[in-house]
Amino acid sequence: MNRKACFAPTIQTHLSGCATFTSLNQAIDFKFSHIIYSEKGEGTRIIWKKKNAPKGSTRKTNRPLLELLKTWIEQSYFDRQVNALEIFKRLKAESSIKFRVSDIEKCMKILCGSRQALLQKDSIDGVQRYWKEEL
């Protein structure tokens, strides 16, 4: 069942858009249009659309990075609270693994999640800190 939700243009922005939904919570694509006015007052409508990633699509887990972090847990690196910047600096200094910050975030989320539950995390003064789960 397809539904359309349209956003009415405002006087100030002259921007409007429509989204096609397959269910109430999932948008497949957004179509937007806006009008650009020339110096003579003639308007030109520009239409563009953006496709959303399908629901359930995820980024791939960096397995070598995840395994390295698991060995650090075994080596008692996370016995004390370690902030995210310290983890990043140690990874850059000691490993030859290619990674992005989002890869670290995903691996830490896996290690803190209910399935693995190897680490705990907390944001203290705006800084993410990780430590070993106490049994």
Side-chain angles (χ1 to χ4, degrees), residues 59 100-110 130:
R59 58 184 176 217
R100 294 177 299 197
V101 173
S102 63
D103 294 333
I104 301 171
E105 291 171 344
K106 179 164 186 185
C107 290
M108 297 309 284
K109 185 174 183 175
I110 290 170
Y130 300 91

Side-chain angles (χ1 to χ4, degrees), residues 96-120:
S96 60
I97 299 171
K98 281 189 159 188
F99 63 89
R100 294 177 299 197
V101 173
S102 63
D103 294 333
I104 301 171
E105 291 171 344
K106 179 164 186 185
C107 290
M108 297 309 284
K109 185 174 183 175
I110 290 170
L111 295 172
C112 295
S114 60
R115 190 174 280 178
Q116 303 242 345
L118 297 172
L119 295 176
Q120 291 182 351

